[in-house]
Amino acid sequence: MTHTIQLLGEQTIYQARQTHTQLWQALHEHNEPLQLELADVTEVDSSLVQILLWLVPEAKRLGRPLTIGEPSAVLAEVLAELGLSHIVQTEGAGHE
């Protein structure tokens, strides 16, 4: 069984604490693989990028399988502008 988290709508500094807490709990309180869905993110700033930069190595450190679904167009654009598109790609990013 997989624990799926779907981020919806705005994911900016105003949601960062809640998003980080939700992901931290998913990593530390559940034993099943984690699936993060990002297709429905409509607004994003660097806070979500920072959370993703924390999440990928943290899941790896904990030995937790992590799958990140296709990002929304808005998120994909921000990641591309920052040269960080690789963090949401399954192959070569350190998550399954």
Side-chain angles (χ1 to χ4, degrees):
M1 183 168 199
T2 300
H3 184 80
T4 301
I5 294 178
Q6 183 174 14
L7 298 183
L8 303 170
E10 188 176 316
Q11 290 296 317
T12 65
I13 190 69
Y14 301 106
Q15 293 78 32
R17 178 180 287 236
Q18 178 182 349
T19 299
H20 181 271
T21 299
Q22 182 181 19
L23 293 170
W24 188 94
Q25 288 174 336
L27 284 177
H28 293 88
E29 296 176 3
H30 300 280
N31 293 322
E32 62 269 355
L34 179 60
Q35 169 80 28
L36 181 60
E37 296 296 337
L38 302 170
D40 295 321
V41 173
T42 59
E43 186 176 342
V44 64
D45 65 14
S46 64
S47 62
L48 181 59
V49 176
Q50 291 173 4
I51 290 169
L52 294 173
L53 288 170
W54 158 80
L55 178 65
V56 173
E58 182 69 2
K60 187 173 184 175
R61 183 184 75 79
L62 294 171
R64 294 288 310 282
L66 169 64
T67 303
I68 298 178
E70 283 293 318
S72 67
V74 171
L75 178 55
E77 182 179 336
V78 168
L79 292 171
E81 287 176 6
L82 296 172
L84 296 171
S85 296
H86 65 278
I87 65 174
V88 295
Q89 295 172 350
T90 301
E91 293 183 3
H95 51 272
E96 298 176 6

